Amino acid sequence: MSEYMRPMSFGDLINWIKEECKNEGKVFGVRKEAFYKNESKTKLKTIFGDEISSCVGPAAGPHSQLAQNILTAYLTGARFIELKTVQILDGEEIQKAIARPCILAEDECYNCEWSTELKVEEAFEEYIKAYFLIQVFAKEFNLSDKKDFAYNMSCGYDLEGIKSPKIDSYIEGLKNAENTEIFKECVAYLKENIDLFDNFTEEDLEAISPMVCNSITLSTLHGCPAHEIEAIAKYLLTEKKLNTFIKCNPTILGYDYARNTLDNMGYDYIEFTDFHFKDDLQYEDAVVMFNKLLDLAKEKDLVFGLKLSNTFPVDVKRGELPAEEMYMSGRALLPLTLSMAAKLSEEFDGKLPMSYSGGADAGNIVEIFDAIGQPITVATTILKPGGYVRFKQLAKETENLLEREYEGVDVEKILALRDEVIKAWENNKLYREKVGSRKTESTLPLTDCYKAPCKDGGCPIHQQIPEYLKLVDMEKYDEAIEVIANDNTAPTILGELCAHYCQSHCTRVDYEKTLQIRQMKLIAADKAQAKYVENIKATDLKSDKKVLVIGAGPGGIAAASYLRRNGMDVLVREKLSKPYGIVSHIIPDFRIPDEEIERDYKIALNQGVKFEFNSEVTESYEELKKEFDHIVVATGAWKEGRSPVEVGSDHVIDALDFLWDVRMEGGAKLGKKVAVVGAGDVAMDCTRTAARQEGVEEVTLVYRRTEAYMPATQEEVNDVKAEGHKIMELVAPVEYDGKVLKCKKMKLGDFDASGRKAVVPTGEELSLEFDSVIGATGARVDTSAFEENGINLDDRKKPKTLESYESNIANVYIIGDCLTGASTIVNAMGQAKTVALDILKKENLPNDFKIFEVKEDEEVLYEKRGVLVDKKEGKDEGSRCLKCDQICEICTEVCPNRANVAIKVDGFNNLHQIIHIDGMCNECGNCGVFCPHAGNPYKDKFTVFWTEEDFMDSTNVGFLKTGESSYKVRLENGNIIETKDIKKDLTENMLKFIEAIEENYQHHLRPAANVKM
């Protein structure tokens, strides 16, 4: 495909909007219900003199590049539009200079693009078309009777370029567009077609002022010298007579401040040197310059101020984008931008005007606006799922503050806000719970791509999570536990202890906070599991084949439960005295008591699973196969872990031994001072358990990396911190003699193959006194039984199996920790489910796994889209679920250019199908970041092309309409055909798509006739 965007003509834009609104009640994918109208009639008077009906808008960037982007922003609540920066380098020159993909907004945002990718003349035309579209449809949709928005133009990056005829014409055109061709063209079109509109009249058209914009923001490249910045600002104030803002770079804070702030907030992985901090405008020089420019602006009866802030240049170290340097924004920029605002406001006693952009979102926008009092623009939050619709929430949050008279920046408020933001856990990187990408491994299909990644790709046992979340929210607990127990043989144990991979894939991760799915499961179990267990009746045996499960841990019991309920005869042999292995013998009872474990055990008992405890299996597998047709080995990982020290390992207590002694033997004697070495969930259990032992006064967790790289779930780490235990980071134990733990001090190095930063010694050493040291560096697997039975092992001594977990010995399966090494309960259960299905298939038995359908009203789901909602208490948390397998459409939301479109096509399962409009796409890659599949919608979805050049430059499946009834089509197999008989020549799926587009979505095809090449 081509990265070249093809701007639409003004007439095509009008037709698109009218047709889409009439047929679907949408404009560029945004439902009319999501349009914003300031019902309170409040207005913000900007320091430039504009009266606007909300204080928010798009930052100069991808959301203010094309006419449709700007209109979409306005419709959803944006009223201060920062037009994307123009510079002398433009069009194909800059398109070729930008690496693709160029945006990565997984959490904080990175980009490697900067100014408009259009020619400057094209950019000007887009901004004028949008200027008219806003005023036409504000009236047509009854959003405003008069102009209630403002433009702010942006230019860069040096004085010579800004003085060039190309940029000068652009600036003068926006100051007064009356004599420009595009202004005249828009006026003429509207006059000739005024009858297209119900509410917009000729009087309204005559009222549209050609004075488009009276303010400008100077965007300077990093390294632009102070004298150049000052010269440009003076030129804009004196020669161009424009209210002028300078976009200030975060480097003005100094390297040490920026580095320490980001490190302390968990962003220590963001790499940058002190180069730009030395090369950019220095704080002392800036203060002198800003004072001079304030005086000059006052003399000229204009306004001078700052735009805070520019993006922050950082190094590409983990392959984030195909560039050497990229620009950071979003929530990692929030503390730096507020620090700039606080520092400069204090310096100028609040008299230096500022507009704001840097991590603003629904959770902080009220406080930011309350302190600054001028427009706030955003980019990162509307690049995330929900997209433009979030503007409506931002506008509503600040609506009642608009009428206040501007008296400068409130210094006390901005200082307090800076300190509060830096301190608040919600702004820490780790609040996201170490989630990187939510993407899963599934191929992005051409059709029916809706997917709830929590259950499909997230949950190893494929629990039907959206369904039971809805039922819990509705207090239908009996139905909820039925849905849960369909796939989950231990609802209570997983309600307490699950590693909840589902939560790492929840779409809400990219909103504000993942849904607390595990907690919802536990609520259902607490409310309804007892009754559910009472009603279980053992299934009649449907086969004379017998299954032996070796090991009564979570994986073994899961396999037994799945098989027995489907009619197989199952015996579980366990060498310990009770069920559930690590859960009941090792995990502390303050995390899960015996009573809760027992209620899960009763599920298997009532289903008819037979158990033999204190029954260690010493027979060979071949011997066992004489009695049993299938054997499932689930013996866990009980061998002590590798010693955390090189010398003195005999003095170190193994984590499993310690936790066993506490849970099974009544406690452990440790002395007063205890160290726990490790950083997984077991290490967190050891730390908290050790602190509860008699005589222990202090427990210290020792880890060679930093908290951000701890393999433990963040909530487990938070529990340790909440209890007040010490955590020593960047400390690697070397030797322990029973009294003194000798350690090396470490520092973070470069990123290694695991994606974590490597650690390297600093050369310093520590000697720490501890009465006991517990090693929690991972349990190992005793492979002797595998070796004795001839199981094929790999180089790491792990069993080799098929995808069904069947070993090289027929009908002998291996699952859980004894297969993978120490892992998670739910992973073992997922493997058990795979094994059970394989055995049932071999025995020609059907399985009883059901698909439940718990639909939510589509209007309710659409109303939730884009709205940030804090996590809720109790069963109400379920209401935050977005039901992504019922409605996904994330790719349509996150596309700034509206290039991904949801359309109705008969004959498919999903509510809508996704098509891609090639001419509107610049390959930024944002849709691929957030698509829950492994693919990229801009490459993998059915594509509508507008030009032959773009069609041939692409590999996408799709079509170009070449005549009244002729098409050029790229088929699913990659072949290109030309056809006038699509019913004969196309596959059924492609035929359905083209017929639907021709019948109901002609506006997606019409721009092709007027594309400028």
Side-chain angles (χ1 to χ4, degrees), residues 99-144:
R100 320 278 172 166
C102 54
I103 295 175
L104 178 67
E106 238 169 38
D107 187 8
E108 69 276 7
C109 183
Y110 302 103
N111 70 280
C112 56
E113 48 83 44
W114 49 102
S115 55
T116 182
E117 296 168 48
L118 302 173
K119 294 178 182 177
V120 171
E121 296 82 359
E122 289 176 323
F124 176 77
E125 290 176 357
E126 290 299 291
Y127 303 156
I128 297 300
K129 286 184 280 188
Y131 179 75
F132 276 93
L133 291 174
I134 290 173
Q135 293 180 81
V136 169
F137 288 101
K139 185 69 184 293
E140 189 69 2
F141 295 145
N142 193 31
L143 302 179
S144 179

Side-chain angles (χ1 to χ4, degrees), residues 673 675 700 702 726 728 731 733 735-737 739-743 765-771 773:
K673 295 183 68 177
T700 302
V702 179
K726 291 169 66 176
M728 294 190 72
V731 174
E735 182 179 341
Y736 182 58
D737 62 4
K739 293 182 179 179
V740 177
L741 182 66
K742 292 184 178 179
C743 307
E765 294 186 353
L766 289 173
S767 291
L768 306 167
E769 292 187 3
F770 291 108
D771 298 306
V773 173

Side-chain angles (χ1 to χ4, degrees), residues 315-336:
D315 298 330
V316 174
K317 289 291 186 181
R318 295 171 293 148
E320 297 95 332
L321 291 171
E324 292 182 0
E325 187 175 67
M326 56 190 179
Y327 301 95
M328 182 264 283
S329 57
R331 73 187 192 104
L333 190 59
L334 175 67
L336 300 183

